[in-house]
Amino acid sequence: MTEDEKFFAWLDGELGPAEAAEMEAKLAVDPRLARLAEQHRALGSRLKSAFDPIATAPVPNHLQAPLRPSEVIDFAATKRARSMPSLPQWAAMAATLAIGVLVGTFVPQRTAAPVEMQGGNLYAAAALDHALDTQLASAPVGRVRIGLTFRDHAGEICRSFTQSASSGLACRNGGRWLVRGLFAAPEGQASDYRMAAGMNPNLATLVDSTIAGGPFDAAAEKAARDEGWR
């Protein structure tokens, strides 16, 4: 584990007592490291206050209806089969819908906008579409950064991404990239700022409810690109 990885693991409470004590001793004599820790904690607090109301909001009645069974259901088996979204997944969907309503707030209204609405769906456009089509996570270029590449439960390829004002998830749909979720970046967060917790927590929830199996490794990602993301 590198020093940076150890620092972030300490912030997330993942170090053992001995390593945690060692990191705390370093912060005590390194003002720069102490300031960085405080910045990460402040950012985490802003994220929590911004997204907790969405994640904890009651599930709308029209979304609860499919969850009201007419007979006793083995929820453990249902979860394993992933045939019915769980309540946390509904929360992720609700968060995606809520932010989708606000897309116009943080997507520039110009021809080079990274997304476009067609037929009631949001699709990647311009630089975002190009990055999803061509960029490998192992070889980042430009202002769009690709995160995970994987298949969803329908077998379509999905890719997470981060750009200057937002992050999100797009999945292949009819030869285009359908944006499944788009989340605004926290206020004051630069495009190259890496959070201690990594991925936006709402995006992480959406990825977890979408992914089937594991993410592609570098070789599988390159092969998928070369085959046109089929």
Side-chain angles (χ1 to χ4, degrees), residues 18 25 27-28 31 48 56 62 87 105 107-108 135 144 148 150 161 164 185 192 199 208 219 228:
L27 262 72
K48 183 176 178 60
T56 59
H62 70 282
L87 289 177
T105 303
V107 174
Q135 192 177 134
V144 180
L148 299 177
F150 57 87
F161 60 86
S164 58
D192 59 352
M199 187 183 294
D208 182 64

Side-chain angles (χ1 to χ4, degrees), residues 3-85:
E3 283 301 307
D4 282 347
E5 289 172 337
K6 187 176 294 186
F7 172 70
F8 291 131
W10 171 76
L11 281 172
D12 292 337
E14 297 174 355
L15 293 183
E19 289 184 312
E22 178 185 347
M23 185 57 64
E24 288 165 3
K26 288 183 179 179
L27 262 72
V29 298
D30 188 339
R32 182 195 63 82
L33 200 58
R35 284 196 302 272
L36 183 59
E38 186 59 33
Q39 289 170 355
H40 278 289
R41 286 170 175 152
L43 177 58
S45 178
R46 290 200 299 272
L47 278 172
K48 183 176 178 60
S49 62
F51 289 113
D52 271 3
I54 297 174
T56 59
V59 180
N61 288 333
H62 70 282
L63 294 181
Q64 290 187 35
L67 299 178
R68 298 191 183 107
S70 57
E71 58 182 349
V72 176
I73 294 176
D74 182 347
F75 282 99
T78 302
K79 184 176 181 180
R80 285 193 298 271
R82 290 183 178 268
S83 60
M84 179 186 295

